[in-house]
Amino acid sequence: MLTEKQIKALKPKEKPYFARDDRGLYLEIHPNGGKYWRIRVWEHGKEIKRSLGVYPWVTLKEAREKRDEIKLEISRGHNPLRKIKSKTFREVALDWFERRALPTRSKSHNDRTLSRMRRFVFPAIGDMPVTEISAPDLLRFLRPIEETGSHETAHRTLQICGSVFRYAIATGDGVRDPSADLRGALTPSPTKHYPSIIKPEEIGSLLRAIDSLISTPVVRSALWMQMLTFVRPGELRQMEWKEIDFKDAMWRIPESKMKMRRPHLVPLSKQALQRLEELKQITGHGRYVFPAVRSFIKGDRPMSDGTLTAALRRLGYSQGEVTPHGFRSTASTNLHEQRWPSDAIERQLAHAERSTIKSAYNYAEHLDTRREMMQAWADWLDAVKES
């Protein structure tokens, strides 16, 4: 029989393993360090398993009490485990999506998640009881995704399944997470690099090309602001006039629009402020700084995600040469070469902190240095454009 001391000493291994207690009760230890209470009984030669909660929230004493209650019911001719109908993967996944994914992620991320479940997961295992799905069941629909060359999609889909299984365990609807057994089974995703222009003379050529672009001033200004602020393209497209503080020269992006779900500060250079002031005469009547063409009068919808990419293609730059997201690499590389502090650059890029608690309070970190750096960056861009 287990003791509290023994349970605390149990360490995760490469694969899940069991630590038995007594009378069908056991603890399942996962590679992520999670410890899950399980009970196993037999009825008419068929094994039935159910979750009793997660240690240490359910203590050893409480797990044994639950086990004894179940055993007592069985001795009376009733099997409470048999009465429980296991939920299907689809039921658990949609509950997880509504309660956990929707409130914490951006709309675009949620749309991709739901699309992957509907395209790949639900047709294969959606109607299966979540407690009966095995690692080979997952691999059967992940392999075809891999064979199309979509390795990242396969890995992302597996991550979604893992989140659903862990949610099922937490709610008592699941027994274990079979996605953990597929570690190393999928082909690794190639590292994704966004094409970017790094050399100063090439940056200057790009900026001159942007100025000569035959398009609306909104698109030209958006490309310039992408280079001046080097935020993620999705954050730039959704820039709203109410987020701009002209007096403080600051763009305050709310956490709901950020990839890491934390607010972000973007100091605005004199050049950025000038472009915004000019643009306000054009789009200031609406909600968005860069509205979609079809909602220009109302300004109630942001520019589409393909607009800036299409503009670069019209300028003659191919997909393999530069993308709007690559402007971030352009800024990062050159600012590091100019010996600006790495911490200030990373904070301005809104990269994730290893410590979630630390990062929650650090969005204003190095702000004075970042103000100076952003102005120096704008001045440098002007210089390479003219040189």
Side-chain angles (χ1 to χ4, degrees):
M1 295 175 64
L2 291 172
T3 65
E4 289 283 354
K5 185 177 180 180
Q6 288 173 334
I7 294 173
K8 291 177 181 178
L10 293 171
K11 303 299 181 184
K13 297 180 181 179
E14 187 175 348
K15 292 185 177 181
Y17 69 98
F18 309 111
R20 302 185 186 283
D21 184 54
D22 186 36
R23 300 178 63 203
L25 180 66
Y26 64 97
L27 199 63
E28 183 173 312
I29 299 88
H30 284 206
N32 63 5
K35 298 174 181 178
Y36 305 91
W37 289 113
R38 305 279 185 260
I39 185 171
R40 174 167 49 194
V41 299
W42 294 82
E43 185 178 60
H44 307 303
K46 185 174 181 180
E47 183 183 52
I48 303 174
K49 295 180 182 178
R50 286 293 180 269
S51 169
L52 297 183
V54 183
Y55 180 87
W57 290 276
V58 175
T59 65
L60 173 60
K61 180 182 177 182
E62 290 169 339
R64 285 174 175 165
E65 288 174 350
K66 288 185 177 183
R67 175 204 59 196
D68 292 343
E69 290 173 5
I70 292 170
K71 290 286 186 180
L72 181 61
E73 286 295 310
I74 292 174
S75 70
R76 292 172 175 172
H78 305 289
N79 189 340
L81 300 185
R82 172 61 66 187
K83 292 177 182 178
I84 300 173
K85 182 182 178 182
S86 178
K87 288 186 178 180
T88 65
F89 183 91
R90 188 194 310 270
E91 290 173 323
V92 177
L94 292 177
D95 186 46
W96 163 80
F97 183 75
E98 181 133 359
R99 295 176 182 273
R100 301 294 299 275
L102 272 175
T104 60
R105 295 287 188 173
S106 65
K107 183 181 183 302
S108 60
H109 181 278
N110 286 327
D111 288 345
R112 285 194 300 272
T113 298
L114 195 57
S115 174
R116 284 168 179 158
M117 286 196 290
R118 286 173 173 167
R119 287 177 59 196
F120 308 121
V121 186
F122 290 167
I125 62 171
D127 296 327
M128 293 179 63
V130 72
T131 55
E132 297 180 12
I133 298 171
S134 64
D137 293 325
L138 302 179
L139 202 57
R140 270 192 288 274
F141 67 84
L142 292 171
R143 280 282 188 247
I145 302 174
E146 275 196 316
E147 289 168 1
T148 66
S150 304
H151 300 293
E152 183 180 359
T153 299
H155 281 273
R156 296 286 187 188
T157 304
L158 178 61
Q159 289 172 5
I160 293 169
C161 292
S163 296
V164 173
F165 284 120
R166 289 189 291 276
Y167 177 75
I169 293 169
T171 58
D173 294 312
V175 177
R176 62 184 304 274
D177 174 15
S179 71
D181 297 336
L182 292 183
R183 181 179 297 176
L186 297 180
T187 304
S189 298
T191 303
K192 187 174 183 179
H193 295 288
Y194 291 96
S196 59
I197 290 176
I198 302 300
K199 295 180 179 179
E201 58 271 23
E202 294 177 349
I203 297 171
S205 296
L206 172 60
L207 295 175
R208 290 192 293 273
I210 292 172
D211 280 347
S212 67
L213 176 67
I214 300 177
S215 183
T216 68
V218 176
V219 174
R220 286 195 297 272
S221 294
L223 285 169
W224 260 103
M225 288 297 292
Q226 184 72 68
M227 186 67 81
L228 287 167
T229 61
F230 49 90
V231 295
R232 296 178 180 88
E235 295 156 8
L236 183 82
R237 290 190 301 103
Q238 297 183 70
M239 176 191 279
E240 297 183 43
W241 285 114
K242 67 180 181 180
E243 298 165 0
I244 309 300
D245 186 338
F246 284 93
K247 186 176 180 180
D248 191 34
M250 188 68 67
W251 173 19
R252 293 178 170 85
I253 310 178
E255 61 183 28
S256 60
K257 295 183 180 180
M258 295 299 298
K259 179 180 179 180
M260 305 311 298
R261 319 309 289 175
R262 301 178 193 113
H264 184 50
L265 297 177
V266 182
L268 298 171
S269 62
K270 294 176 183 177
Q271 292 89 330
L273 285 172
Q274 181 180 348
R275 290 190 175 275
L276 288 171
E277 286 169 354
E278 293 172 353
L279 201 57
K280 195 169 180 64
Q281 305 302 314
I282 304 173
T283 67
H285 62 278
R287 172 183 175 184
Y288 291 100
V289 177
F290 305 107
V293 174
R294 293 183 179 180
S295 67
F296 186 81
I297 295 177
K298 291 184 177 181
D300 58 349
R301 286 197 305 159
M303 178 183 289
S304 71
D305 57 1
T307 301
L308 298 188
T309 299
L312 291 173
R313 300 299 162 261
R314 292 202 301 275
L315 291 174
Y317 289 94
S318 68
Q319 182 70 26
E321 288 180 293
V322 65
T323 64
H325 200 288
F327 287 14
R328 289 166 60 80
S329 296
T330 298
S332 177
T333 300
N334 283 279
L335 287 171
H336 276 101
E337 289 182 355
Q338 294 166 24
R339 299 186 180 279
W340 286 96
S342 181
D343 287 347
I345 298 171
E346 292 301 300
R347 176 54 55 197
Q348 197 54 57
L349 287 164
H351 283 164
E353 280 276 1
R354 290 185 178 181
S355 168
T356 304
I357 297 176
K358 180 182 177 183
S359 63
Y361 297 94
N362 276 4
Y363 74 102
E365 191 178 30
H366 308 295
L367 190 55
D368 289 340
T369 302
R370 286 156 56 192
R371 284 183 184 272
E372 184 181 354
M373 180 181 70
M374 296 298 277
Q375 184 58 57
W377 173 243
D379 294 340
W380 185 83
L381 291 176
D382 282 346
V384 297
K385 189 191 79 166
E386 298 300 330
S387 63

